[in-house]
C-alpha cells in the first residue's frame, strides 16, 4: 500500500531533530541544506573533506570520520554515488541500534542485500529512491518526493525528518520496492525520451518547422496519451486485452511501414522505435492483432 505524505514542516521533538548525512554530492548537499534551513542539527561527512567546508560554515557539524558522524545521532542517511560506495563508507563502522536510510540509487536486489547487511549489524533499514533533481529539494511546490521501503517502524518514527527535503511515499516493507518503483518510473521516462528524440529528429529535417513551435504540440500530445497507463493497468488486472479496444495492435502494426518510410525519407534512424515495433509484430503474429497495447507487457517478460 502506498502511503502518500506531503513534505510539510517537521513536528518532531528536539531529540529527533538530528540527522547524520554521509555523502555531500549535488543531492546530499541539497538534503543537508534543507535540514539546516528547517533548524535540524545536521552532522555531515564526505570522502573529499573540502566539499563539507561550505556546509560547515552554514551550520552543519563536520565530522572528522564516518564513525564520528554515525555516533552523532540515531538517524544515518547515505546519499552516495552507488551501492559499492555505501559498502566502502560503512564497512567496519558500528551501526548497532542505528536507523540507516540509504538514498543511493541501486537495484531492488542491492537494497534487499543492504537490508540484510544492516540487520546483521543491529540496525533498522529503509531504502529510498529519489524522484527529484537537486534544485527541487526543500521546495514542496516543486513536487519532488522519495519512495521509501523497508522498515515501516523506522519510516514512521523518522517521517517528520525525512519529509523535510522532499515528499515521502512509503511503498512497502520489502526493501527492494522503493528501488523498483524508482527504476520503473524512470524506465517510463526513458521510453518517453526515445519518442521525443525521434520526433525532433524528424522535424529537424524541415527548416520551416521551428522546434519551439513544435514543442507545445508534442508536449500536449504526450500529456493526452499518458492517460493510457490507467487503461493498461485495468487490463493487466482483469486479464481482458480485447474488449473495447479503440486502437488494436493489428491496426497499429499496419502503420509501422509508414513510420519506417517517413524516417527513411528524413534520414532518421529507427533504432529507438524498432524494438517496440518488433514486439508489436511478434504479438500480432502470435494472434494478438485484436488486442490492446497492454497485451505487450507480459510478452516482454523473459
Ligand atoms: P554526485 O556525483 O554529485 O556525488 C556523489 C557522492 O558520492 C559524493 O559525495 C562522492 O564523494 C561520493 N562517493 C562516490 N564514490 C565514493 C566512494 N567510493 N566512497 C565514498 N564516497 C563516494 O552525485 P549526486 O549527489 O548527484 O547523487 C547521489 C545519489 O543520488 C546517486 O545514487 C544518484 O543516483 C542519486 N540521485 C541523484 C539525482 C540527481 O539529479 N543528482 C536524482 C536522483 C537520484 P566525493 O565528493 O569524495 O567524490
Amino acid at each position: 500500500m502506498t502511503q502518500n505524505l506531503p513534505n510539510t514542516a517537521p513536528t518532531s521533538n528536539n531529540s529527533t531533530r538530528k540527522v547524520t548525512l554521509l555523502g555531500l554530492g549535488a543531492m546530499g548537499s541539497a538534503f543537508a541544506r534543507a535540514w539546516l534551513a528547517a533548524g535540524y542539527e545536521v552532522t555531515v561527512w564526505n570522502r573529499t573533506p573540502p566539499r563539507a567546508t561550505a556546509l560547515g560554515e552554514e551550520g552543519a557539524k563536520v565530522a572528522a570520520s564516518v564513525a564520528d558522524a554515525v555516533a552523532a545521532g540515531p538517524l544515518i542517511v547515505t546519499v552516495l554515488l552507488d551501492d559499492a560506495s555505501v559498502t566502502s563508507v560503512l564497512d567496519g563502522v558500528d551501526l548497532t541500534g542505528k536507523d540507516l536510510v540509504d538514498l543511493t540509487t541501486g537495484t531492488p536486489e542491492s537494497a534487499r542485500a543492504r537490508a540484510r547487511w544492516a540487520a546483521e549489524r543491529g540496525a533498522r533499514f529503509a531504502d529510498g529512491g529519489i524522484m527529484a533533481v537537486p534544485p527541487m529539494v526543500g521546495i514542496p511546490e516543486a513536487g519532488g518526493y522519495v519512495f521509501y521501503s523497508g522498515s515501516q517502524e523506522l519510516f514512521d518514527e523518522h517521517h517528520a525528518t525525512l519529509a523535510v527535503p522532499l515528499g515521502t511515499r512509503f511503498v512497502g516493507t520489502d526493501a527492494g520496492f522503493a528501488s523498483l518503483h524508482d527504476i520503473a518510473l524512470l524506465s517510463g521516462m526513458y521510453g518517453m525520451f526515445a519518442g521525443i528524440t525521434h520526433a525532433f529528429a524528424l522535424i529537424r529535417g524541415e527548416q520551416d518547422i521551428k522546434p519551439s513551435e513544435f514543442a507545445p504540440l508534442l508536449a500536449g500530445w504526450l500529456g493526452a496519451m499518458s492517460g493510457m497507463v490507467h487503461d493498461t493497468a485495468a487490463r493487466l488486472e482483469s486479464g481482458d486485452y480485447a474488449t473495447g479496444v479503440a486502437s488494436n495492435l493489428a491496426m497499429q502494426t499496419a502503420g509501422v511501414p509508414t513510420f519506417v518510410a517517413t524516417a527513411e525519407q528524413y534520414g532518421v534512424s529507427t533504432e529507438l522505435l524498432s524494438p517496440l515495433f518488433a514486439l508489436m509484430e511478434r504479438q500480432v503474429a502470435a494472434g494478438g492483432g485484436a488486442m490492446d497495447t497492454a497485451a505487450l507487457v507480459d510478452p516482454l517478460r523473459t
Side-chain angles (χ1 to χ4, degrees):
M1 168 73 90
T2 302
Q3 190 181 341
N4 300 327
L5 298 162
N7 45 337
T8 49
T11 54
S12 55
N13 61 39
N14 283 338
S15 67
T16 58
R17 289 174 64 87
K18 228 180 201 193
V19 59
T20 288
L21 185 66
L22 307 178
L24 299 175
M27 192 56 93
S29 297
F31 269 64
R33 291 198 166 91
W35 276 313
L36 285 172
Y40 275 68
E41 183 183 315
V42 185
T43 301
V44 296
W45 175 89
N46 195 62
R47 176 182 63 175
T48 310
R51 248 176 151 168
T53 307
L55 278 161
E57 287 161 4
E58 292 168 41
K61 297 185 175 196
V62 180
S65 68
V66 179
D68 287 352
V70 167
L75 177 62
I76 318 301
V77 178
T78 44
V79 194
L80 296 162
L81 186 66
D82 54 19
D83 191 55
S85 51
V86 178
T87 302
S88 74
V89 166
L90 286 176
D91 234 14
V93 174
D94 184 8
L95 292 174
T96 313
K98 300 292 178 182
D99 286 332
L100 176 62
V101 174
D102 185 12
L103 302 183
T104 305
T105 303
T107 68
E109 270 314 308
S110 68
R112 290 176 187 127
R114 184 64 59 197
R116 292 191 293 274
W117 180 96
E120 284 161 14
R121 287 157 179 79
R124 292 191 297 192
F125 178 77
D127 193 59
I130 303 171
M131 304 309 301
V133 291
M136 295 164 78
V137 175
I139 301 176
E141 316 81 80
Y145 63 88
V146 179
F147 284 121
Y148 288 98
S149 63
S151 167
Q152 174 94 57
E153 295 76 22
L154 181 162
F155 178 78
D156 291 345
E157 215 167 287
H158 295 291
H159 175 253
T161 301
L162 298 175
V164 169
L166 288 166
T168 64
R169 283 174 167 76
F170 188 81
V171 288
T173 54
D174 181 331
F177 278 14
S179 165
L180 182 59
H181 281 74
D182 179 3
I183 299 298
L185 290 198
L186 293 178
S187 300
M189 176 191 78
Y190 280 119
M192 185 181 76
F193 285 176
I196 290 171
T197 302
H198 187 89
F200 274 116
L202 284 177
I203 64 122
R204 204 83 175 129
E206 292 290 358
Q207 286 196 339
D208 290 343
I209 303 177
K210 284 181 70 178
S212 59
E213 286 168 6
F214 179 71
L217 301 174
L218 182 57
W221 178 245
L222 292 175
M225 287 295 98
S226 69
M228 60 87 75
V229 300
H230 302 294
D231 186 55
T232 298
R235 290 186 187 279
L236 289 171
E237 287 179 9
S238 69
D240 181 354
Y241 300 111
T243 305
V245 177
S247 310
N248 70 32
L249 284 171
M251 179 282 291
Q252 295 201 50
T253 304
V256 166
T258 304
F259 284 82
V260 173
T262 305
E264 278 169 2
Q265 286 161 23
Y266 279 95
V268 173
S269 163
T270 56
E271 65 193 303
L272 297 178
L273 300 186
S274 298
L276 179 62
F277 289 157
L279 181 62
M280 288 161 56
E281 283 161 356
R282 276 210 311 278
Q283 186 61 0
V284 171
M291 292 181 175
D292 183 83
T293 50
L296 299 175
V297 173
D298 287 336
L300 188 60
R301 294 177 55 79
T302 55

